[in-house]
Amino acid sequence: EAMACGVPAAVTEVGDSPVLVAETGFLIEGAHPEELASGVGSAIRLGQGRLAERGRHAREHVINHYSLEAIGKRYYSVLCEALDAHRSSGK
């Protein structure tokens, strides 16, 4: 949600968070308070301009990969492949 609003996300290595955020946010290794504080500090040290630029990239990443249109295209592609495979198998 933050990324869709143009805010770079700070995430830990849980689930698909690193994949979702990619290079647009801040990956925090571990979940100890000191590590989280260090990750947030890294974001602050970028400065407002570079942080805003990263936020724009985060929003573009979400739109290009996770918007309803992007997901719909992927579903369509998968379904077409499945249909083609079914037709090719002669069933």
Side-chain angles (χ1 to χ4, degrees):
E1 290 175 5
M3 292 171 63
C5 294
V7 177
V11 300
T12 57
E13 294 181 300
V14 176
D16 284 336
S17 294
V19 173
L20 182 94
V21 171
E23 301 297 320
T24 69
F26 302 91
L27 180 61
I28 300 168
E29 296 178 15
H32 298 292
E34 298 82 17
E35 294 164 326
L36 294 171
S38 176
V40 171
S42 295
I44 292 169
R45 284 189 294 278
L46 276 181
Q48 199 170 20
R50 289 179 59 202
L51 199 57
E53 180 181 340
R54 200 176 268 206
R56 284 189 295 277
H57 290 294
R59 180 168 168 71
E60 289 172 12
H61 181 72
V62 167
I63 290 169
N64 291 335
H65 297 281
Y66 303 105
S67 67
L68 288 176
E69 182 179 354
I71 291 172
K73 286 179 181 179
R74 286 201 305 264
Y75 269 114
Y76 181 79
S77 177
V78 167
L79 292 172
C80 285
E81 286 177 27
L83 183 58
D84 287 345
H86 178 74
R87 287 179 179 157
S88 295
S89 70
K91 294 181 180 183

